[in-house]
Amino acid sequence: MSTAQGARARARQEITAAIKDAARGQLAAEGAAKLSLRAVARELGMVSSALYRYFPSRDDLLTALIIDAYDSLGAAAERARDAASGAPPADRWTAVCEAVRLWALAHPHEYALIYGSPVPGYSAPQTTVRAASRVGLALIGILRDAHRGPAGLTAPPLPAALRPEAERMAADLAPDLPPEVAAPMVAAWAQLFGLIGFELFGQFNRVVEDRETFFRHAVARLAESVGLTPQ
C-alpha cells in the first residue's frame, strides 16, 4: 500500500469512528428508533451525501453499531473466561456472567440496542450472528470443558416431551454436549440476559436492593441448572 493509500485508509477509519461515536451519542439521547443519518451528519459538520459514502443507510449504521456492541460485550466475556482459566467450571461460569453484567451497566445504551426493544423497521442481517454468538460460545466452552473433565456435568433428566427439542438444540448449538445440558443451557442464557435487563431497565426498583449479591446467587443457581456443581 502506498503512503497516499495508507493515509486515505487511516482517514476513512477515523471518520468512520467519528460517525459511530456521534451515532452512539444519539442513541443515548434519543434511542435507536430515532437514529438519523442527517442528524449525525449535522453533528459532525458533514453534508448528508458525504456520510452516505460511509454508511449508505440508517440500517447499515445500526448494523455496524450492533456488531461493535456485541463484539465489545463478547470480548469482555472472553477476558473474564480466560482470566479464570484455572478456576473450577462453576466459578468460570460466574466470572463470565459477572463480566456481562458489568459491561451492561457500563454501556446501558449499547446493551439496550442489542437486548432491548426491537428497532421498528430494522431486521438484523446475518452478519451480526458471529458477534452475537460470542457470549454464548464462551459459556458453552465452559460446559464443554466440564463435560470432558473428571467431574462431568450433572444436569437433571429431561422430560420426555422436551427431548426431541433438546436433541435439536444440542445438534445445532453444541453437538458434543448431551441434550440434557442443551435445554437448560438455552434457558440459562435467556435468564442471564433477563436478570441483567430487569436491573438495567428498572424492573428491580424497590424489589432488589443488593443487586450484586442477588445476581451472584442467581447465576450460581443457573450454573447448577446446567450441571455445574460448586467445588
Side-chain angles (χ1 to χ4, degrees), residues 1-220:
M1 180 181 293
S2 70
T3 302
Q5 288 174 324
R8 283 195 296 270
R10 287 192 298 273
R12 184 174 183 85
Q13 290 172 355
E14 290 171 1
I15 295 171
T16 299
I19 292 169
K20 289 180 180 179
D21 286 343
R24 291 187 188 100
Q26 194 175 120
L27 290 180
E30 302 287 344
K34 294 185 178 180
L35 180 64
S36 162
L37 288 182
R38 291 182 181 276
V40 170
R42 282 197 303 271
E43 181 174 339
L44 295 174
M46 299 173 64
V47 295
S48 299
S49 58
L51 191 145
Y52 289 131
R53 291 200 294 269
Y54 296 86
F55 295 100
S57 71
R58 180 210 67 161
D59 285 4
D60 291 310
L61 179 53
L62 267 178
T63 296
L65 296 176
I66 287 168
I67 290 173
D68 283 355
Y70 276 131
D71 274 333
S72 178
L73 174 58
E78 290 159 4
R79 284 193 299 270
R81 175 202 61 196
D82 295 344
S85 60
D91 293 343
R92 295 173 65 203
W93 171 279
T94 298
V96 169
C97 293
E98 288 184 327
V100 172
R101 172 179 176 265
L102 290 175
W103 184 92
L105 294 177
H107 304 84
H109 303 295
E110 290 174 79
Y111 185 89
L113 176 64
I114 54 179
Y115 288 112
S117 300
V119 179
Y122 174 80
S123 180
Q126 193 70 16
T127 52
T128 62
V129 171
R130 184 204 62 80
S133 302
R134 290 176 68 172
V135 172
L137 291 175
L139 294 172
I140 289 172
I142 293 169
L143 296 179
R144 183 177 292 116
D145 291 345
H147 182 54
R148 294 171 178 169
L153 292 168
T154 57
L158 279 172
L162 182 58
R163 178 164 290 278
E165 178 66 3
E167 290 176 347
R168 184 198 62 76
M169 290 178 181
D172 287 348
L173 301 173
D176 50 347
L177 292 178
E180 288 78 6
V181 173
M185 175 184 71
V186 172
W189 171 75
Q191 290 172 72
L192 168 63
F193 289 105
L195 284 165
I196 294 170
F198 263 48
E199 178 176 1
L200 199 62
F201 302 138
Q203 282 90 345
F204 280 160
N205 291 348
R206 296 190 297 277
V207 177
V208 180
E209 296 296 332
D210 186 352
R211 294 173 185 172
E212 182 175 353
T213 300
F214 177 81
F215 182 81
R216 285 184 63 87
H217 171 78
V219 298

